Amino acid sequence: MSTFPMMTVQQHILEEQRRLRPGASGDFSWLLSGITLATKMIAAQVRRAGLVDIAGAADEGKNVQGEIVQKLDVIANQALLQCLGNRGNVAVMASEENAEPVVVSRDWENGTYVVIFDPLDGSSNIDVNVSVGTIFSILRRSPEPDKYRTPLEDVLQPGLKQVAAGYVVYGSSTMFVYTAGNGVNGFTLDPAIGAYLISHPNITMPAHGSIYSVNEANADSFPEPYRKYLAHLKSGKAGRQYSSRYIGSLVADFHRTLLKGGVFLYPPTSSHPKGKLRLMYEANPIAFLAEQAQGVATDGTRRILEKPPESLHERTTLLVGSRTELDLLKQFLK
Ligand code: AHM
Ligand code: MG
């Protein structure tokens, strides 16, 4: 019989709190359980994604029963807004799907948390049955009432202020990976009982890997140092033979990088001169996880987590992965 303890994500969060913050109110674990609930609802819809066509989209946006067929990213967004909006301690939410931050009016005065998310990252992969994900970032509002008091000010805090971050990857299994600033832990959804069970405790990113992950179709428009770096990795001069893997879902590409090591890059391109990925709900949570797992995340000039955000949907270059690959990249970018 396995000696591996059977622990749900809820138990894990509560035990961590008991161990690290004995006086904690339990508010934070209540908030996180809103996220796990929403992601189970999303997982159930993602699993059925291919069946939408069997139900048949008769009219534009409607299935054969005349029901409105909603896009999965809209469904995912609603699930998160609903599950987090009734926790009582979330004052503001911000999502890739909403132009402006969403205020929870009932909890605006007393809510202590801000949650930012990309409800369904990589959603263009849904049509071809490839992994997608949900990414989230949790911030605390300033206790000073005059600071961070417009919803946007509440949201626009640098990544270093995150109190927790994580993602769910809807892959061949559904996994929840999170950090609350004390390492990274991974849980796998057991569909038979509807619970996330710990499967990857204390994840550490290998100090080096043998995979690079980048959309190489854009390589001609990468700044020269990136092209030279990639050529160097391919030449074998970096001391190992590299392979390339690119899924096109950040969550899935990062998940592999987290477990196997190596490097994921989304450099500036001619169509996205600042990089394509979003600072607040893609790069920041990924960077927090990477650093908590002993990896590195930078935009080429500074730590992602130190970037002062200017707008909710701003983009950034994202270079994330193992120390060895990122140290080498730094040499090329000098
Ligand atoms: P999305 O949030 O609209 O799905 O876009 C973000 C996705 C990331 O998941 C992925 O890393 C990237 O876009 C892929 O971009 P590209 O197709 O340019 O390689
Ligand atoms: Mg996205």
Side-chain angles (χ1 to χ4, degrees):
M1 198 179 126
S2 159
T3 54
F4 205 61
M6 178 134 144
M7 186 183 284
T8 66
V9 66
Q10 242 57 262
Q11 258 175 296
H12 185 268
I13 293 163
L14 286 169
E15 288 199 7
E16 286 279 283
Q17 281 205 324
R18 216 169 288 146
R19 200 165 60 83
L20 301 169
R21 300 184 199 90
S25 60
D27 257 24
F28 177 66
S29 41
W30 176 233
L31 187 169
L32 269 178
S33 71
I35 297 184
T36 53
L37 176 62
T39 60
K40 285 180 213 172
M41 291 161 63
I42 299 167
Q45 296 294 332
V46 168
R47 295 277 163 257
R48 302 186 69 248
L51 297 169
V52 171
D53 282 346
I54 294 178
D59 298 321
E60 189 87 351
K62 287 190 178 168
N63 67 16
V64 279
Q65 283 89 27
E67 295 161 341
I68 303 289
V69 179
Q70 284 182 307
K71 284 183 68 190
L72 265 174
D73 32 20
V74 177
I75 294 175
N77 196 41
Q78 281 171 352
L80 281 155
L81 291 173
Q82 276 164 11
C83 292
L84 287 167
N86 63 14
R87 295 279 123 171
N89 54 9
V90 178
V92 182
M93 295 175 278
S95 161
E96 173 167 354
E97 294 288 321
N98 300 99
E100 303 293 333
V102 177
V103 172
V104 184
S105 24
R106 195 193 60 182
D107 300 315
W108 169 248
E109 282 300 323
N110 299 319
T112 41
Y113 289 102
V114 176
V115 187
I116 310 174
F117 45 84
D118 181 351
L120 205 62
D121 180 63
S123 49
S124 59
N125 273 325
I126 281 272
D127 291 348
V128 288
N129 207 352
V130 168
S131 299
V132 290
T134 295
I135 318 177
F136 64 90
S137 161
I138 303 176
L139 297 156
R140 219 186 290 280
R141 295 171 97 191
S142 168
E144 302 160 46
D146 53 343
K147 216 177 162 201
Y148 308 147
R149 270 305 184 253
T150 67
L152 196 57
E153 280 166 345
D154 274 329
V155 168
L156 293 183
Q157 303 182 51
L160 275 174
K161 298 271 185 188
Q162 292 172 106
V163 291
Y167 60 79
V168 171
V169 56
Y170 310 101
S172 38
S173 60
T174 299
M175 265 192 80
F176 178 88
V177 177
Y178 93 104
T179 181
N182 187 46
V184 178
N185 288 283
F187 303 79
T188 301
L189 183 64
D190 182 341
I193 58 171
Y196 286 107
L197 300 177
I198 193 152
S199 52
H200 296 64
N202 299 318
I203 299 173
T204 311
M205 199 186 282
H208 58 73
S210 54
I211 294 174
Y212 70 84
S213 183
V214 66
N215 187 342
E216 263 190 309
N218 297 327
D220 284 355
S221 75
F222 293 163
E224 195 183 11
Y226 292 97
R227 282 185 273 132
K228 288 192 164 160
Y229 173 70
L230 290 170
H232 185 80
L233 293 186
K234 286 189 256 191
S235 71
K237 289 185 195 145
R240 67 189 67 237
Q241 197 50 55
Y242 280 87
S243 247
S244 101
R245 295 281 184 279
Y246 189 74
I247 296 166
S249 283
L250 174 64
V251 172
D253 280 313
F254 176 72
H255 187 63
R256 183 198 54 249
T257 309
L258 179 68
L259 297 182
K260 301 270 184 204
V263 57
F264 170 89
L265 311 105
Y266 210 109
T269 63
S270 47
S271 57
H272 294 102
K274 292 185 167 173
K276 178 187 174 192
L277 298 174
R278 312 292 186 145
L279 175 64
M280 299 303 291
Y281 41 81
E282 294 179 327
N284 270 341
I286 292 295
F288 192 17
L289 288 158
E291 289 199 5
Q292 283 292 317
Q294 319 296 322
V296 178
T298 159
D299 69 354
T301 54
R302 68 202 301 186
R303 268 168 92 197
I304 292 287
L305 295 181
E306 286 176 357
K307 284 176 76 111
E310 280 160 18
S311 65
L312 171 56
H313 299 286
E314 79 182 78
R315 298 177 191 268
T316 179
T317 293
L318 177 63
L319 318 168
V320 60
S322 299
R323 288 200 167 271
T324 307
E325 279 76 10
L326 269 288
D327 282 349
L328 182 64
L329 177 54
K330 208 162 135 194
Q331 303 299 321
F332 279 81
L333 292 174
K334 257 185 192 159

Tab-separated table of all heavy atoms in Angstrom, residues 10-41:
chain	number	residue	atom	x	y	z
A	10	GLN	N	-7.582	21.630	-0.303
A	10	GLN	CA	-8.143	22.387	0.832
A	10	GLN	C	-7.407	22.069	2.135
A	10	GLN	O	-7.027	22.955	2.886
A	10	GLN	CB	-9.625	22.019	1.005
A	10	GLN	CG	-10.563	23.187	0.829
A	10	GLN	CD	-10.389	23.838	-0.539
A	10	GLN	OE1	-9.704	24.839	-0.625
A	10	GLN	NE2	-10.957	23.258	-1.574
A	11	GLN	N	-7.224	20.750	2.362
A	11	GLN	CA	-6.486	20.325	3.561
A	11	GLN	C	-5.100	20.928	3.566
A	11	GLN	O	-4.607	21.394	4.594
A	11	GLN	CB	-6.297	18.806	3.500
A	11	GLN	CG	-7.214	17.988	4.345
A	11	GLN	CD	-6.917	16.524	4.011
A	11	GLN	OE1	-7.134	16.082	2.872
A	11	GLN	NE2	-6.418	15.797	4.979
A	12	HIS	N	-4.462	20.883	2.397
A	12	HIS	CA	-3.091	21.366	2.283
A	12	HIS	C	-3.015	22.849	2.632
A	12	HIS	O	-2.151	23.275	3.406
A	12	HIS	CB	-2.583	21.121	0.860
A	12	HIS	CG	-1.147	21.474	0.678
A	12	HIS	ND1	-0.740	22.723	0.253
A	12	HIS	CD2	-0.016	20.768	0.889
A	12	HIS	CE1	0.581	22.763	0.204
A	12	HIS	NE2	1.045	21.586	0.576
A	13	ILE	N	-3.942	23.630	2.095
A	13	ILE	CA	-3.927	25.079	2.356
A	13	ILE	C	-4.151	25.330	3.850
A	13	ILE	O	-3.457	26.137	4.474
A	13	ILE	CB	-5.016	25.779	1.517
A	13	ILE	CG1	-4.673	25.683	0.025
A	13	ILE	CG2	-5.178	27.240	1.929
A	13	ILE	CD1	-5.834	25.954	-0.900
A	14	LEU	N	-5.100	24.610	4.432
A	14	LEU	CA	-5.390	24.825	5.861
A	14	LEU	C	-4.192	24.438	6.723
A	14	LEU	O	-3.844	25.140	7.673
A	14	LEU	CB	-6.630	24.026	6.272
A	14	LEU	CG	-7.952	24.617	5.763
A	14	LEU	CD1	-9.103	23.646	5.975
A	14	LEU	CD2	-8.254	25.945	6.464
A	15	GLU	N	-3.553	23.319	6.365
A	15	GLU	CA	-2.396	22.892	7.173
A	15	GLU	C	-1.227	23.856	7.043
A	15	GLU	O	-0.553	24.149	8.018
A	15	GLU	CB	-1.997	21.470	6.804
A	15	GLU	CG	-3.027	20.526	7.347
A	15	GLU	CD	-2.558	19.091	7.463
A	15	GLU	OE1	-1.363	18.819	7.248
A	15	GLU	OE2	-3.417	18.248	7.775
A	16	GLU	N	-1.026	24.363	5.828
A	16	GLU	CA	0.043	25.351	5.627
A	16	GLU	C	-0.233	26.581	6.474
A	16	GLU	O	0.664	27.143	7.087
A	16	GLU	CB	0.109	25.779	4.154
A	16	GLU	CG	0.701	24.742	3.242
A	16	GLU	CD	2.221	24.750	3.289
A	16	GLU	OE1	2.831	25.632	2.693
A	16	GLU	OE2	2.782	23.861	3.978
A	17	GLN	N	-1.491	26.999	6.500
A	17	GLN	CA	-1.849	28.189	7.276
A	17	GLN	C	-1.623	27.953	8.760
A	17	GLN	O	-1.090	28.802	9.463
A	17	GLN	CB	-3.307	28.543	7.032
A	17	GLN	CG	-3.492	29.260	5.709
A	17	GLN	CD	-4.723	30.133	5.722
A	17	GLN	OE1	-5.726	29.767	6.317
A	17	GLN	NE2	-4.659	31.254	5.058
A	18	ARG	N	-2.040	26.784	9.216
A	18	ARG	CA	-1.876	26.458	10.636
A	18	ARG	C	-0.391	26.497	11.009
A	18	ARG	O	0.006	26.965	12.047
A	18	ARG	CB	-2.451	25.058	10.899
A	18	ARG	CG	-3.131	24.955	12.244
A	18	ARG	CD	-3.915	23.667	12.348
A	18	ARG	NE	-5.107	23.655	11.543
A	18	ARG	CZ	-5.610	22.587	10.928
A	18	ARG	NH1	-4.999	21.427	11.016
A	18	ARG	NH2	-6.724	22.665	10.253
A	19	ARG	N	0.446	25.983	10.060
A	19	ARG	CA	1.882	25.892	10.317
A	19	ARG	C	2.569	27.263	10.245
A	19	ARG	O	3.385	27.606	11.080
A	19	ARG	CB	2.488	24.963	9.252
A	19	ARG	CG	3.823	24.356	9.585
A	19	ARG	CD	4.110	23.202	8.635
A	19	ARG	NE	4.155	23.597	7.235
A	19	ARG	CZ	5.223	24.118	6.639
A	19	ARG	NH1	6.335	24.308	7.316
A	19	ARG	NH2	5.194	24.458	5.354
A	20	LEU	N	2.198	28.049	9.224
A	20	LEU	CA	2.948	29.289	8.971
A	20	LEU	C	2.299	30.533	9.556
A	20	LEU	O	2.969	31.487	9.879
A	20	LEU	CB	3.136	29.481	7.454
A	20	LEU	CG	3.883	28.348	6.755
A	20	LEU	CD1	3.784	28.487	5.254
A	20	LEU	CD2	5.349	28.343	7.181
A	21	ARG	N	0.966	30.541	9.617
A	21	ARG	CA	0.280	31.742	10.145
A	21	ARG	C	-0.804	31.292	11.105
A	21	ARG	O	-1.997	31.305	10.778
A	21	ARG	CB	-0.371	32.535	8.991
A	21	ARG	CG	0.623	33.005	7.957
A	21	ARG	CD	-0.055	33.869	6.887
A	21	ARG	NE	0.766	33.927	5.711
A	21	ARG	CZ	0.697	33.064	4.696
A	21	ARG	NH1	-0.198	32.095	4.696
A	21	ARG	NH2	1.517	33.175	3.670
A	22	PRO	N	-0.377	30.907	12.315
A	22	PRO	CA	-1.319	30.294	13.263
A	22	PRO	C	-2.558	31.144	13.544
A	22	PRO	O	-3.624	30.621	13.779
A	22	PRO	CB	-0.478	30.105	14.533
A	22	PRO	CG	0.942	30.153	14.103
A	22	PRO	CD	0.995	30.987	12.862
A	23	GLY	N	-2.424	32.481	13.452
A	23	GLY	CA	-3.590	33.314	13.772
A	23	GLY	C	-4.490	33.595	12.577
A	23	GLY	O	-5.427	34.375	12.688
A	24	ALA	N	-4.197	32.981	11.427
A	24	ALA	CA	-4.913	33.338	10.196
A	24	ALA	C	-6.413	33.071	10.325
A	24	ALA	O	-6.851	32.147	11.005
A	24	ALA	CB	-4.335	32.559	9.026
A	25	SER	N	-7.192	33.919	9.652
A	25	SER	CA	-8.650	33.876	9.816
A	25	SER	C	-9.301	32.736	9.023
A	25	SER	O	-10.461	32.408	9.254
A	25	SER	CB	-9.233	35.191	9.330
A	25	SER	OG	-8.899	35.349	7.957
A	26	GLY	N	-8.580	32.181	8.059
A	26	GLY	CA	-9.197	31.164	7.200
A	26	GLY	C	-9.803	31.796	5.951
A	26	GLY	O	-10.274	31.108	5.052
A	27	ASP	N	-9.766	33.127	5.895
A	27	ASP	CA	-10.295	33.871	4.746
A	27	ASP	C	-9.639	33.467	3.442
A	27	ASP	O	-10.286	33.344	2.408
A	27	ASP	CB	-9.973	35.366	4.946
A	27	ASP	CG	-11.188	36.113	5.403
A	27	ASP	OD1	-12.076	35.461	5.972
A	27	ASP	OD2	-11.220	37.345	5.192
A	28	PHE	N	-8.325	33.297	3.533
A	28	PHE	CA	-7.558	33.024	2.331
A	28	PHE	C	-7.897	31.639	1.767
A	28	PHE	O	-8.064	31.461	0.554
A	28	PHE	CB	-6.072	33.130	2.667
A	28	PHE	CG	-5.170	32.812	1.534
A	28	PHE	CD1	-5.134	33.616	0.413
A	28	PHE	CD2	-4.348	31.686	1.577
A	28	PHE	CE1	-4.310	33.318	-0.655
A	28	PHE	CE2	-3.513	31.383	0.518
A	28	PHE	CZ	-3.501	32.205	-0.601
A	29	SER	N	-8.050	30.649	2.654
A	29	SER	CA	-8.378	29.310	2.151
A	29	SER	C	-9.806	29.297	1.591
A	29	SER	O	-10.096	28.587	0.620
A	29	SER	CB	-8.192	28.238	3.224
A	29	SER	OG	-8.654	28.693	4.448
A	30	TRP	N	-10.675	30.102	2.179
A	30	TRP	CA	-12.039	30.217	1.663
A	30	TRP	C	-12.017	30.809	0.247
A	30	TRP	O	-12.717	30.344	-0.653
A	30	TRP	CB	-12.854	31.073	2.640
A	30	TRP	CG	-14.268	31.385	2.252
A	30	TRP	CD1	-14.831	32.620	2.188
A	30	TRP	CD2	-15.307	30.456	1.904
A	30	TRP	NE1	-16.136	32.532	1.803
A	30	TRP	CE2	-16.465	31.218	1.627
A	30	TRP	CE3	-15.367	29.066	1.786
A	30	TRP	CZ2	-17.671	30.633	1.242
A	30	TRP	CZ3	-16.569	28.485	1.400
A	30	TRP	CH2	-17.699	29.260	1.138
A	31	LEU	N	-11.145	31.810	0.052
A	31	LEU	CA	-11.002	32.414	-1.275
A	31	LEU	C	-10.488	31.372	-2.281
A	31	LEU	O	-11.049	31.194	-3.369
A	31	LEU	CB	-10.027	33.582	-1.182
A	31	LEU	CG	-9.820	34.493	-2.391
A	31	LEU	CD1	-9.016	35.710	-1.970
A	31	LEU	CD2	-9.118	33.835	-3.539
A	32	LEU	N	-9.431	30.656	-1.883
A	32	LEU	CA	-8.858	29.672	-2.813
A	32	LEU	C	-9.857	28.581	-3.167
A	32	LEU	O	-9.853	28.054	-4.281
A	32	LEU	CB	-7.593	29.054	-2.216
A	32	LEU	CG	-6.288	29.765	-2.568
A	32	LEU	CD1	-5.126	29.080	-1.887
A	32	LEU	CD2	-6.032	29.789	-4.068
A	33	SER	N	-10.731	28.260	-2.218
A	33	SER	CA	-11.710	27.209	-2.538
A	33	SER	C	-12.704	27.713	-3.588
A	33	SER	O	-13.287	26.920	-4.324
A	33	SER	CB	-12.416	26.702	-1.276
A	33	SER	OG	-13.296	27.691	-0.790
A	34	GLY	N	-12.858	29.043	-3.693
A	34	GLY	CA	-13.669	29.598	-4.784
A	34	GLY	C	-13.012	29.327	-6.129
A	34	GLY	O	-13.674	29.020	-7.124
A	35	ILE	N	-11.695	29.426	-6.140
A	35	ILE	CA	-10.967	29.184	-7.394
A	35	ILE	C	-11.014	27.704	-7.759
A	35	ILE	O	-11.272	27.343	-8.909
A	35	ILE	CB	-9.507	29.678	-7.283
A	35	ILE	CG1	-9.518	31.197	-7.068
A	35	ILE	CG2	-8.710	29.294	-8.531
A	35	ILE	CD1	-8.164	31.848	-7.032
A	36	THR	N	-10.806	26.834	-6.778
A	36	THR	CA	-10.817	25.403	-7.125
A	36	THR	C	-12.218	24.986	-7.603
A	36	THR	O	-12.347	24.224	-8.557
A	36	THR	CB	-10.352	24.504	-5.951
A	36	THR	OG1	-11.116	24.824	-4.786
A	36	THR	CG2	-8.882	24.691	-5.654
A	37	LEU	N	-13.246	25.537	-6.967
A	37	LEU	CA	-14.610	25.197	-7.409
A	37	LEU	C	-14.833	25.640	-8.857
A	37	LEU	O	-15.301	24.867	-9.692
A	37	LEU	CB	-15.630	25.860	-6.468
A	37	LEU	CG	-17.099	25.685	-6.858
A	37	LEU	CD1	-17.497	24.214	-6.855
A	37	LEU	CD2	-18.015	26.481	-5.902
A	38	ALA	N	-14.460	26.894	-9.151
A	38	ALA	CA	-14.656	27.410	-10.512
A	38	ALA	C	-13.893	26.554	-11.524
A	38	ALA	O	-14.417	26.237	-12.600
A	38	ALA	CB	-14.203	28.862	-10.586
A	39	THR	N	-12.663	26.159	-11.168
A	39	THR	CA	-11.872	25.408	-12.154
A	39	THR	C	-12.419	23.994	-12.354
A	39	THR	O	-12.273	23.420	-13.433
A	39	THR	CB	-10.377	25.353	-11.781
A	39	THR	OG1	-10.221	24.708	-10.506
A	39	THR	CG2	-9.767	26.740	-11.742
A	40	LYS	N	-13.085	23.443	-11.343
A	40	LYS	CA	-13.730	22.132	-11.554
A	40	LYS	C	-14.913	22.291	-12.509
A	40	LYS	O	-15.170	21.425	-13.353
A	40	LYS	CB	-14.209	21.545	-10.226
A	40	LYS	CG	-13.082	20.994	-9.369
A	40	LYS	CD	-13.642	20.428	-8.083
A	40	LYS	CE	-12.679	20.605	-6.944
A	40	LYS	NZ	-13.271	20.234	-5.657
A	41	MET	N	-15.619	23.418	-12.373
A	41	MET	CA	-16.728	23.678	-13.295
A	41	MET	C	-16.191	23.865	-14.722
A	41	MET	O	-16.754	23.359	-15.685
A	41	MET	CB	-17.501	24.933	-12.847
A	41	MET	CG	-18.267	24.730	-11.549
A	41	MET	SD	-18.724	26.280	-10.720
A	41	MET	CE	-19.804	27.030	-11.898
